[in-house]
C-alpha cells in the first residue's frame, strides 16, 4: 500500500506546488504520445464522418434505402418516403460540349425533404419545356446555368431508338461527391415513361435490413442499397477496414513509445532515487512509484491528444471544403461537404487499449531497468 510519503513524492514529481515550468517539463516526454493520439483521434473522426456521409449519399443519389419493382404500403413506417421513378440513358449536347447521362424520371415532390437538403438543390421557376436537374459537376463542365437549354439524345429501350429532346436547366444540385453525381440527371417522369420502380427512403440507414425483410415476408421483391450497389459499398467498407488496421498498428506503436517516458524520468530523478534508497525504500516500491508516475503521464497525454484530435476532427469539413475549392481533383472520391460524426466507442476502446499496453510495456521496462538496480545497489 502506498504511504503518505510516496503520495507526496508522486505529487511533487507531477508538478504539484512546483510551478508551471516544472509541470510542463514533466509532460515533455509524453509529447510524442500526445501527437500520435491527436492524429489517431482526428483520423478516426474523419473516417467515421466520411463513411457515414458516403453511406447516406449512396442512398440519396441511388435508389433509396430499398428499391422494389412492386408497389407496397409503407404508411406504418415512421419517417419513410416512397417515390415512383423510371430510368434511362442518354447524351446531352450544349454549346460547350457533350456528356453521357444516367437519367431518372421523377414525379413532383421527389426533392422535398431530406433529399433536396442533402443534395443542396437550387432551382428556379421556369416556363421552359422539359425541365432537367443536373449536378454542379456537369454544369461546370458544360458551362451551364439556370434557364440554359441543351439537346438531350434520349435512348428509348422499348423502341430501340434514340430521339432528340430539347431540355431546360431548372435545377442544379451539389452532392459534394463528384464521383457519383457527375453523370446523373433528373427529368420529368413523363419524358421517359415505362413501368419504373419504387424507391423507399428511411429515416435511418440502420433500419434498412429490417424493413427489407418485412417486404420479402409479404412476397414483395426488393433490394437494399447495399445489394444494389454492392461493389461501391464493399469498396468503401474495405477501405475503411484497412485504414482502421493501420490506425491500430500506430496505436500499438504509441504504447511502446511510453517506455521512453520511464527512461527520461529515471535519468531526471537520479539523485532523488538514490536518496530514497538511502532512506531504506526497496527497489520494488521505487519501481511502483515510477510505474504510477509514467502511467499517469501517458493517460494525461492520451486525454490531451484526444481533445486536440476532436478539435481537429470538428474542423475536417472546413479542411476538405478548402481543398475541394483549391484542387477539386484531390477530393474527387470523397464528399466535400459532410457533418462530423464522433465514434465515441472506438475512441474509448483505443484509449483504454493504449493504457493497457502502456501499463504492460512500462512494467516490463521497469522490471528490466538496470539503471534503477545500479542506483539502489550503489546506495
Amino acid at each position: 500500500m502506498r504511504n503518505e510519503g510516496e503520495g507526496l513524492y508522486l505529487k511533487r514529481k507531477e508538478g504539484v506546488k512546483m510551478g508551471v515550468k516544472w509541470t510542463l517539463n514533466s509532460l515533455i516526454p509524453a509529447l510524442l504520445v500526445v501527437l500520435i493520439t491527436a492524429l489517431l483521434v482526428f483520423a478516426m473522426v474523419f473516417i467515421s464522418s466520411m463513411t457515414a456521409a458516403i453511406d447516406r449519399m449512396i442512398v440519396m443519389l441511388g435508389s433509396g434505402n430499398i428499391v422494389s419493382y412492386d408497389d407496397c404500403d409503407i404508411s406504418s413506417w415512421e419517417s419513410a418516403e416512397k417515390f415512383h421513378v423510371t430510368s434511362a440513358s442518354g447524351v446531352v449536347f450544349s454549346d460547350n460540349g457533350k456528356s453521357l447521362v444516367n437519367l431518372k424520371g421523377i414525379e413532383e415532390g421527389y426533392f422535398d425533404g431530406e433529399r433536396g437538403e442533402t443534395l443542396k438543390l437550387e432551382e428556379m421557376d421556369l416556363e421552359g419545356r422539359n425541365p432537367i436537374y443536373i449536378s454542379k459537376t456537369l454544369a461546370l463542365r458544360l458551362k451551364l446555368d439556370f434557364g440554359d437549354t441543351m439537346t438531350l439524345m434520349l435512348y428509348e429501350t422499348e423502341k430501340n431508338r434514340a430521339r432528340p429532346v430539347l431540355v431546360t436547366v431548372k435545377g442544379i444540385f451539389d452532392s459534394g461527391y463528384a464521383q457519383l453525381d457527375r453523370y446523373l440527371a433528373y427529368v420529368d417522369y413523363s419524358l421517359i415513361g415505362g413501368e419504373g420502380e419504387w424507391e423507399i427512403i428511411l429515416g435511418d440507414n440502420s433500419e434498412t435490413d429490417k424493413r427489407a425483410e418485412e417486404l420479402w415476408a409479404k412476397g414483395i421483391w426488393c433490394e437494399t442499397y447495399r445489394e444494389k450497389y454492392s461493389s461501391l459499398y464493399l469498396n468503401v467498407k474495405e477501405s475503411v477496414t484497412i485504414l482502421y488496421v493501420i490506425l491500430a498498428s500506430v496505436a500499438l506503436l504509441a504504447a511502446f513509445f511510453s517506455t521512453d517516458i520511464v527512461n527520461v524520468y529515471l535519468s531526471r530523478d537520479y539523485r532523488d532515487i538514490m536518496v530514497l534508497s538511502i532512506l531504506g525504500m526497496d527497489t520494488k516500491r521505487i519501481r511502483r512509484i515510477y510505474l504510477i508516475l509514467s502511467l499517469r503521464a501517458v493517460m494525461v497525454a492520451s486525454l490531451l491528444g484526444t481533445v486536440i484530435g476532436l478539435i481537429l476532427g470538428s474542423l475536417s469539413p472546413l479542411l476538405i471544403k478548402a481543398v475541394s475549392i483549391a484542387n477539386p481533383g484531390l477530393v474527387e472520391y470523397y464528399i466535400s461537404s459532410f457533418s462530423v460524426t464522433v465514434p465515441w466507442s472506438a475512441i474509448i476502446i483505443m484509449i483504454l487499449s493504449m493504457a493497457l499496453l502502456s501499463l504492460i510495456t512500462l512494467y516490463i521496462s521497469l522490471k528490466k531497468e538496470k539503471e534503477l538496480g545500479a542506483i539502489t545497489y550503489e546506495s
Side-chain angles (χ1 to χ4, degrees), residues 58-98:
I58 293 175
V59 170
M60 295 301 166
L61 288 176
S63 299
N65 292 88
I66 302 172
V67 59
S68 172
Y69 289 115
D70 301 316
D71 196 3
C72 54
D73 180 17
I74 63 169
S75 57
S76 61
W77 295 2
E78 186 177 355
S79 302
E81 298 177 297
K82 182 179 65 175
F83 303 95
H84 192 203
V85 301
T86 56
S87 58
S89 299
V91 181
V92 290
F93 298 86
S94 74
D95 294 337
N96 300 294
K98 61 183 179 179

Side-chain angles (χ1 to χ4, degrees), residues 84-379:
H84 192 203
V85 301
T86 56
S87 58
S89 299
V91 181
V92 290
F93 298 86
S94 74
D95 294 337
N96 300 294
K98 61 183 179 179
S99 175
L100 293 171
V101 286
N102 294 319
L103 296 167
K104 274 194 176 185
I106 60 174
E107 297 178 314
E108 187 176 352
Y110 186 81
F111 290 111
D112 293 346
E114 184 185 357
R115 179 181 264 122
E117 294 176 2
T118 303
L119 300 185
K120 295 182 176 61
L121 175 67
E122 295 182 9
E123 57 182 329
M124 61 185 301
D125 294 330
L126 297 173
E127 296 180 357
R129 297 181 59 188
N130 300 324
I132 187 171
Y133 297 85
I134 61 175
S135 67
K136 184 178 180 180
T137 307
L138 183 59
L140 290 174
R141 194 194 325 162
L142 299 182
K143 299 179 181 178
L144 295 170
D145 205 347
F146 298 103
D148 290 345
T149 58
M150 57 183 173
T151 301
L152 168 64
M153 189 64 69
L154 178 64
Y155 179 71
E156 297 177 320
T157 305
E158 295 180 355
K159 298 181 181 180
N160 193 26
R161 70 177 187 182
R163 65 182 175 93
V165 180
L166 188 66
V167 294
T168 306
V169 178
K170 180 179 181 180
I172 297 176
F173 61 91
D174 181 15
S175 70
Y177 199 174
Q179 187 63 20
L180 285 182
D181 69 17
R182 61 170 58 191
Y183 300 115
L184 184 60
Y186 302 88
V187 295
D188 188 79
Y189 181 88
S190 60
L191 191 62
I192 297 179
E195 295 183 1
E197 58 192 25
W198 280 263
E199 295 180 358
I200 300 173
I201 290 183
L202 304 174
D204 189 348
N205 286 359
S206 62
E207 296 183 355
T208 301
D209 293 333
K210 174 186 174 182
R211 297 305 186 185
E213 289 175 3
E214 290 181 17
L215 294 181
W216 277 109
K218 295 177 181 179
I220 300 175
W221 184 95
C222 65
E223 194 174 19
T224 68
Y225 72 98
R226 299 187 186 99
E227 295 168 335
K228 187 175 180 65
Y229 307 103
S230 58
S231 297
L232 176 60
Y233 184 77
L234 287 176
N235 182 55
V236 173
K237 289 298 181 183
E238 288 175 358
S239 299
V240 171
T241 301
I242 293 173
L243 288 173
Y244 272 120
V245 170
I246 295 174
L247 292 180
S249 301
V250 175
L252 178 63
L253 185 62
F256 285 107
F257 282 142
S258 61
T259 57
D260 292 336
I261 298 175
V262 175
N263 297 327
V264 172
Y265 284 168
L266 291 179
S267 300
R268 182 195 67 183
D269 300 338
Y270 179 90
R271 294 182 179 277
D272 292 336
I273 293 173
M274 188 164 55
V275 171
L276 291 177
S277 300
I278 293 174
L279 293 176
M281 184 176 290
D282 58 38
T283 304
K284 289 184 179 180
R285 292 174 67 183
I286 296 176
R287 284 200 179 103
R288 184 177 64 185
I289 289 174
Y290 279 88
L291 177 62
I292 295 172
L293 184 63
S294 303
L295 189 58
R296 284 182 179 177
V298 171
M299 290 304 298
V300 170
S302 298
L303 292 175
L304 180 59
T306 299
V307 172
I308 296 173
L310 290 174
I311 294 173
L312 293 175
S314 66
L315 298 175
S316 58
L318 298 177
L319 175 62
I320 294 297
K321 192 70 176 178
V323 173
S324 68
I325 295 174
N327 193 339
L330 290 177
V331 293
E332 185 175 332
Y333 293 90
Y334 297 90
I335 291 181
S336 59
S337 178
F338 58 93
S339 57
V340 175
T341 301
V342 180
W344 290 110
S345 57
I347 291 175
I348 292 173
I349 291 174
M350 182 198 72
I351 293 175
L352 293 178
S353 299
M354 285 183 61
L356 179 61
L357 289 170
S358 297
L359 176 63
I360 294 173
T361 54
L362 289 171
Y363 180 80
I364 294 174
S365 177
L366 282 168
K367 195 75 174 177
K368 295 181 177 180
E369 186 59 60
K370 295 180 180 180
E371 181 182 353
L372 181 60
I375 294 172
T376 55
Y377 178 77
E378 290 173 3
S379 63

